[in-house]
Amino acid sequence: MRKHIWSAIGVAMLLSACATVSQTGRTESDLQATLARLQAHREQGRTGSVWGFLYLREPGVPTPLKDRAVTLLPLTPGLETTIHRVRQTYRDGGYAILPFQTLDQLKQALDSYRTQLKDAGRGDLIRQTRTDTADDPKFEFSAVPEGRWLLLAELPSPPSLAVWIVPVTVTAGAATKQSLNDQTVIEGLIQ
């Protein structure tokens, strides 16, 4: 019973967050301001890098996730709020697998955001790489304009999906390390 209550609360919170993201005025304003900042930082040569490793540690021995896609997206304040709420719902639910509706709403918000980036003519900011095939599944993004970014990776394992979704701050001239592991994952059901 308690699990169903938390699931209902989580869905309500996520729907509210996604509604906030889909409000055209604020989202467009957030997006335009974010893109302008990133463009200015790029033109000024204020870039850094993001790197880390992709592992699945549970259950038992850490499993390196080799040759997997990792995506880096610019992060707007509205999208960051949505992600924070989903992560909080996942924590508050005792890290139980999220219901399909909750995970689907998150995926729809991310897909909508990617479309907005492309429609704004900034599809080039959707960066993707693959983890190494060596023993350590390292990923790296170089020449990233200073600012807030979002790291994403997915591991489908029907009937569930593990999604790593982590905000990072890139600082000019610095390498930001952010590994994707069990502390940064959200799991939910897929259909």
Side-chain angles (χ1 to χ4, degrees), residues 37-47 122 124-125 127 143 145-146 149:
R37 262 191 314 278
L38 293 176
Q39 183 64 32
H41 292 166
R42 177 185 279 167
E43 290 170 359
Q44 296 164 1
R46 293 173 53 188
T47 62
R122 296 313 312 257
D124 62 309
L125 291 175
R127 299 180 62 184
E146 183 175 77
W149 291 81

Side-chain angles (χ1 to χ4, degrees), residues 11-34:
V11 170
M13 286 175 64
L14 184 59
L15 291 174
S16 170
C18 290
T20 299
V21 169
S22 66
Q23 291 173 352
T24 308
R26 179 165 183 225
T27 301
E28 285 184 17
S29 173
D30 280 354
L31 182 60
Q32 295 308 320
T34 298

